[in-house]
Amino acid sequence: MSDRKKEWFAVGLMIFAAVVVILCMRFLPGGSRVVITCDGEVYGEYSLNENQEILIQTQWGENRIVIENQTVKMKSASCPDKLCVHMSPISEETPGVIVCLPNKVIVECKE
């Protein structure tokens, strides 16, 4: 095999490997998770691929977080202004952070 053919074979193999990795990351479950912290401490880590509702009750208040269809949103909160409830849902495709300052709760998506 000539050097030129070897180079093209190597390039093709790298492209194929990259496509396989991307497809695996996109379609296989696992990987992405939701991390919830409360007063600076990790409260819990949850799979972004599993629909569930998480209730957080602390001395500062109560928050209800919903993971649904690979997105996360603050469904309800006992804080007075409810800014966290009106924040847009976050996901792996639309990263961000949901913060409830009065209740000291932070929600974020991580890989």
Side-chain angles (χ1 to χ4, degrees), residues 44-59:
E45 293 187 25
Y46 307 88
S47 172
L48 193 56
N49 297 312
E50 183 182 334
N51 292 348
Q52 57 186 307
E53 190 168 297
I54 300 129
L55 177 63
I56 299 174
Q57 293 178 310
T58 66
Q59 66 189 33

Side-chain angles (χ1 to χ4, degrees), residues 1-16:
M1 196 186 289
S2 72
D3 286 339
R4 190 77 163 152
K5 286 184 180 179
K6 287 180 185 177
E7 289 174 3
W8 280 107
F9 180 75
V11 169
L13 191 59
M14 285 189 283
I15 291 172
F16 176 75

Side-chain angles (χ1 to χ4, degrees), residues 14-106:
M14 285 189 283
I15 291 172
F16 176 75
V19 168
V20 169
V21 168
I22 290 169
L23 290 175
C24 286
M25 288 173 52
R26 177 77 175 144
F27 295 108
L28 291 179
S32 297
R33 65 192 197 285
V34 177
V35 178
I36 300 172
T37 57
C38 188
D39 194 27
E41 300 291 323
V42 174
Y43 180 88
E45 293 187 25
Y46 307 88
S47 172
L48 193 56
N49 297 312
E50 183 182 334
N51 292 348
Q52 57 186 307
E53 190 168 297
I54 300 129
L55 177 63
I56 299 174
Q57 293 178 310
T58 66
Q59 66 189 33
W60 300 286
E62 181 178 295
N63 293 73
R64 190 172 304 270
I65 298 160
V66 174
I67 302 172
E68 190 173 59
N69 300 324
Q70 297 184 333
T71 64
V72 185
K73 67 179 179 178
M74 187 76 68
K75 183 177 181 181
S76 65
S78 63
C79 59
D81 57 14
K82 308 276 190 270
L83 291 175
C84 55
V85 176
H86 299 293
M87 296 180 88
S88 297
I90 59 174
S91 68
E92 190 174 25
E93 285 78 29
T94 56
V97 178
I98 299 173
V99 179
C100 181
L101 283 177
N103 294 351
K104 302 182 181 184
V105 174
I106 298 173

